[in-house]
Amino acid sequence: MLPPAEDGGVPAGAAAANDSDSALQTHAFTFTGSGKEYFRIWIVNLLLTVVTLGIYSAWAKVRRLQYFDRNTQLAGASFDFDGDPKAILRGRIVAVVLLAAYNYAFGFSLAVGMGIVGMLLLTLPFMMRGALRFRLRNTRYRGLRFNFSGTVKGAYLAYLPPLVLFLFPAALLALDPTGALLFPFFAAYLGWPLMHGAMKRYQHRHLEFGSLQSSFDVKKRRFFKPYLVAMGLWVAVVIGMVIAFAALAFVAGPNNKNVPPLFLFLPLLMGLVMAYLIYLIAGPYVQVRVGNLVWSNTCFPGIRISSFLKARGYMKLLTVNTVLTILTLGLYRPFAVVRSYEYRLAHMTVETDGSFEHVAAGVNGPSRAAASD
């Protein structure tokens, strides 16, 4: 029992505790694992997945998620994952059957192909929502579960447009093998940033931590800027490659018989270099900018997230990871995954109104997910 204050106020010790509980605190993520540890898990997962013809992949995913979650710490506490691999396996079997049917359906008939496309459009949004709920409901932090409260209707509104974008080209080619119908359809890809923004709004507006509901208020049009900048980078790479190829062609000349045979392969080599540069520049740039935009605008009552990834640093990291993975014939892959994960964690923080213990204590029991399971 605290002694009563002589002046009728709050005891000094209690006042200090209240001040520490109400002050803003910033918490950094830390990862306690290592590439060497994860390599052992990764190699066993890979071998067992191959031996079992892919069946073990569901158990491999659970082991991977558990390793990364349990080695991720925030404010002195670790995350955890306890999902059932059999549920993952059932979902993967359904997905494989549907995608296999999509790949071969138009070989039977146009009617069968269109029927499979319709089935995918009806089932995939529901499955994607279910996968997100499964991942979050089985993730815990400080004894509290996460959850996803997005509705089925919201899933169809968010996921149907991009699914149409990716599934309809095959249907249009089946209707017209000349591809004439594809050209006006490709104009729809200009709206991809809006579709991406709609998916992120659906996902990040319906996150739950215990009884806390997330908020996310970013206009979909803000997703255009990262893509426009990435497109500019892509155009710059293409122009540079065209200029370099033109210079090489001019040096060789049409009648130069002393051109080494290796020179004939330069166009192919330059094309590969261009694709590689686009992969390592435009792709990571969009990932970083969209990731910062999304996570820095996702918050819970008393909890705010900040993401400040650096595009240039992330590009360098991916370049090194790609080169080392190729040189080691894929054996560097688990180390690359750990390095990328550590880099992302190092550039994220969480700010709380007081200590995390104080915030967690104010959460009203388990989430609705735990209560409904």
Side-chain angles (χ1 to χ4, degrees):
M1 293 286 294
L2 290 172
E6 294 181 359
D7 58 357
V10 180
N18 289 336
D19 288 342
S20 63
D21 285 341
S22 61
L24 293 178
Q25 295 189 15
T26 301
H27 313 275
F29 288 90
T30 57
F31 183 68
T32 58
S34 67
K36 184 178 179 180
E37 286 181 350
Y38 181 56
F39 178 85
R40 292 194 289 267
I41 296 174
W42 175 82
I43 196 67
V44 172
N45 285 346
L46 178 63
L47 293 175
L48 291 177
T49 298
V50 172
V51 169
T52 60
L53 302 179
I55 294 177
Y56 187 78
S57 64
W59 281 262
K61 179 176 181 178
V62 170
R63 291 188 65 198
R64 173 173 58 84
L65 292 176
Q66 287 178 340
Y67 177 77
F68 280 95
D69 281 6
R70 292 172 181 176
N71 284 283
T72 300
Q73 292 188 353
L74 176 67
S78 299
F79 293 80
D80 197 7
F81 179 80
D82 56 7
D84 182 4
K86 293 189 290 294
I88 298 176
L89 181 61
R90 290 192 293 268
R92 288 189 171 183
I93 291 174
V94 173
V96 168
V97 170
L98 289 174
L99 293 178
Y102 172 74
N103 286 329
Y104 296 104
F106 287 103
F108 291 97
S109 69
L110 179 61
V112 173
M114 295 301 291
I116 294 298
V117 169
M119 185 182 300
L120 287 171
L121 293 177
L122 285 174
T123 57
L124 285 180
F126 183 81
M127 292 177 64
M128 294 166 74
R129 171 181 175 267
L132 185 55
R133 294 178 75 192
F134 178 84
R135 174 68 171 102
L136 289 169
R137 287 184 171 196
N138 290 285
T139 303
R140 293 176 296 164
Y141 177 69
R142 293 183 179 272
L144 298 170
R145 290 187 180 273
F146 291 87
N147 186 28
F148 181 73
S149 60
T151 63
V152 174
K153 178 182 177 181
Y156 281 95
L157 292 175
Y159 293 129
L160 265 184
L163 285 173
V164 168
L165 208 62
F166 287 106
L167 294 176
F168 262 46
L172 294 177
L173 280 175
L175 289 171
D176 182 9
T178 65
L181 295 177
L182 288 176
F183 291 103
F185 181 77
F186 282 151
Y189 282 93
L190 297 176
W192 171 252
L194 292 177
M195 299 179 197
H196 195 180
M199 287 189 291
K200 291 301 181 183
R201 282 168 65 91
Y202 172 69
Q203 294 166 359
H204 286 256
R205 275 186 169 181
H206 300 97
L207 302 176
E208 291 184 353
F209 173 56
S211 61
L212 300 180
Q213 176 72 48
S214 67
S215 61
F216 180 79
D217 189 20
V218 175
K219 302 296 183 182
K220 289 183 287 186
R221 63 175 180 269
R222 292 185 61 184
F223 285 79
F224 270 106
K225 183 177 179 180
Y227 282 97
L228 291 175
V229 174
M231 180 63 69
L233 295 172
W234 182 83
V235 171
V237 171
V238 172
I239 292 176
M241 286 298 174
V242 169
I243 293 174
F245 179 73
L248 290 173
F250 177 78
V251 171
N255 301 318
N256 192 339
K257 299 181 179 180
N258 297 322
V259 176
L262 183 61
F263 188 83
L264 300 176
F265 294 97
L266 282 179
L268 176 61
L269 179 61
M270 292 175 64
L272 292 174
V273 171
M274 182 176 68
Y276 178 73
L277 289 175
I278 293 172
Y279 166 75
L280 289 177
I281 295 177
Y285 180 85
V286 171
Q287 291 179 36
V288 166
R289 295 300 181 227
V290 171
N292 288 344
L293 175 65
V294 168
W295 284 111
S296 294
N297 287 278
T298 302
C299 59
F300 296 85
I303 304 174
R304 289 162 296 280
I305 305 170
S306 295
S307 177
F308 42 94
L309 286 165
K310 305 298 181 183
R312 184 175 300 178
Y314 193 55
M315 291 175 193
K316 291 180 180 178
L317 176 63
L318 289 186
T319 301
V320 173
N321 285 345
T322 302
V323 172
L324 291 178
T325 300
I326 294 173
L327 292 178
T328 59
L329 302 179
L331 292 178
Y332 188 76
R333 175 63 181 169
F335 297 90
V337 171
V338 169
R339 290 188 65 193
S340 298
Y341 186 73
E342 286 180 318
Y343 185 85
R344 291 194 296 271
L345 285 185
H347 291 83
M348 291 185 69
T349 58
V350 174
E351 185 182 74
T352 57
D353 296 336
S355 66
F356 230 118
E357 292 82 357
H358 175 69
V359 174
V363 178
N364 298 323
S367 67
R368 292 197 299 267
S372 61
D373 286 344

